[in-house]
Amino acid sequence: MREARTKSWRGPKVRIAVFDTHAFERDVLINANRQFSHELVFFDSRLTSETAELAKGFSAACSFVNDRLNSACLEKLHHQNVKLLALRSAGFNHVDLATASRLGLKVVRVPHYSPHAVAEHAVALILSLNRKIHRAYQRVREMNFSLDGLVGFDLNGKTIGVIGTGQIGSVFVRIMAGFGCKVIAYDIAPNPELSQVSNFRYVDLETLYRQADVVSLHLPLRPETQHMIDEKSLAMMKAGVMLINTSRGALIDSKALIQSLKSGHIGSAGLDVYEEEEKIFFRDLSAQVMQDDILARLLTFPNVIVTAHQAFLTNEALQNIAQTTLQNAADFEAGRPLENEVCEKIHTRN
Ligand code: NAD
């Protein structure tokens, strides 16, 4: 476990235990903190009930997407007198909000950091899968200049199905419309601004599954959306469909996806998230034997690309995450209303 301290400069000071910090974000947080006066102490460990004691003496704990913020963890934070839990993420499905509320532990997040980063990564997965860039890259490096097996399709004129048209989904809709695609979408709270987009319309979920050539998920993980992509919904999709998930892994039943890939019904899949990623992603496991048989099987398909939850990973997004997180802490310390507070009622686009 490494620690690095930044100097306080000015303004209200919060002692923040920053958990699960990675090399890609540490300097960004330190630089952003020049405007604030917080004392940041970085821990490599994830925040779990086992590591929560490290937050002793801190008024705020700052966590990342795969920390385990269950009741036991939050109870321990409360016991250490931590008053604020600052999420360096938009998603909060990993937080036991009922316990946080009962303990009076404030939870804040970064609701907007860069919808473009995630939407553009979804597009990168589509283009890579379709034009087989991952295979072409390996082939050419081995001096194999054959084109056999690399045939793609024109995106122009194809139907893209978008589930969830909030911040990220609506950017994605506009990008795909720019490719000349027909875009159909499903959302429990349709976004009226998208009516201006040409070749766009909302449809019911079944129509989306039946008509889309590419299905892309941009909705949150909630109990009602867990495994929404299962054997039944996969069977409704067009033969050869491409499935893209940059939202949360558990939206897809991975075992059902594997069966559909094996049968050839699903044409390809681009997955930036995986339901059991918590134990795997953001780590270098290259010298270890992969213990997760489902992920191992997914990685064997030539028509599957897995990226390790990197859709958010742009300079702009990292700077926004750092800035908003530190501002959230300053607002908390100053007793200002917490604009980015997470409460149990937030389910949809805000
Ligand atoms: P958002 O809240 O702006 O939009 C989510 C949309 O989903 C809303 O329009 C909402 O009405 C809709 N929705 C909610 N429940 C639904 C349901 N049952 N059926 C259909 N639509 C439903 O969220 P966002 O900022 O666009 O983020 C979308 C998801 O992307 C997040 O939930 C998060 O899990 C994920 N995300 C991933 C990364 C990454 O790096 N891979 C980064 C940021 C966010």
Side-chain angles (χ1 to χ4, degrees), residues 113 118 166-168 187-188 220 225 246 248 272 309 312 349:
Y113 45 87
V118 183
Q167 298 175 81
I168 296 168
D187 194 305
I188 51 169
T225 60
T246 55
R248 285 292 179 267
D272 185 53
H309 206 139
F312 72 99
R349 176 160 39 85

Side-chain angles (χ1 to χ4, degrees), residues 206-251:
E206 186 171 336
T207 304
L208 186 146
Y209 288 146
R210 294 199 185 282
Q211 294 188 357
D213 298 298
V214 176
V215 172
S216 193
L217 308 178
H218 299 285
L219 74 169
L221 177 63
R222 305 283 314 165
E224 63 275 17
T225 60
Q226 180 159 13
H227 284 188
M228 69 180 292
I229 305 299
D230 59 6
E231 193 183 342
K232 197 170 152 215
S233 48
L234 287 165
M236 274 189 248
M237 292 182 200
K238 268 184 166 177
V241 68
M242 179 188 290
L243 179 63
I244 302 293
N245 188 7
T246 55
S247 282
R248 285 292 179 267
L251 293 172

Side-chain angles (χ1 to χ4, degrees), residues 162-196:
V162 185
I163 309 181
T165 52
Q167 298 175 81
I168 296 168
S170 54
V171 170
F172 178 77
V173 164
R174 291 176 200 277
I175 298 174
M176 297 320 296
F179 273 87
C181 298
K182 292 177 202 149
V183 188
I184 55 176
Y186 170 75
D187 194 305
I188 51 169
N191 181 349
E193 286 173 20
L194 290 175
S195 59
Q196 302 151 355

Side-chain angles (χ1 to χ4, degrees), residues 7 31 42 54 66-67 73 75 87 109 123 137 160 165 170 185 195 208 240 260 266 283 292 298 301 338:
K7 285 197 172 155
N31 282 337
F42 294 112
L54 291 168
N66 284 325
D67 291 337
C73 176
E75 293 273 4
L87 312 177
R109 65 173 179 145
V123 178
Y137 173 77
I160 311 296
T165 52
S170 54
S195 59
L208 186 146
S260 291
I266 297 298
R283 297 172 187 195
D292 187 311
L298 282 170
F301 291 99
L338 293 175

Side-chain angles (χ1 to χ4, degrees), residues 36-51:
F36 298 88
S37 55
H38 304 312
E39 184 180 357
L40 307 181
V41 177
F42 294 112
F43 296 101
D44 290 348
S45 324
R46 289 175 184 216
L47 178 53
T48 66
S49 56
E50 286 81 33
T51 61

Side-chain angles (χ1 to χ4, degrees), residues 247-263:
S247 282
R248 285 292 179 267
L251 293 172
I252 298 180
D253 176 346
S254 306
K255 286 186 185 162
L257 175 61
I258 287 170
Q259 288 312 315
S260 291
L261 284 161
K262 281 172 76 178
S263 74

Side-chain angles (χ1 to χ4, degrees), residues 68 70 141-142 323:
R68 211 172 307 132
N70 56 17
R141 282 170 67 89
E142 291 180 8
Q323 180 72 28

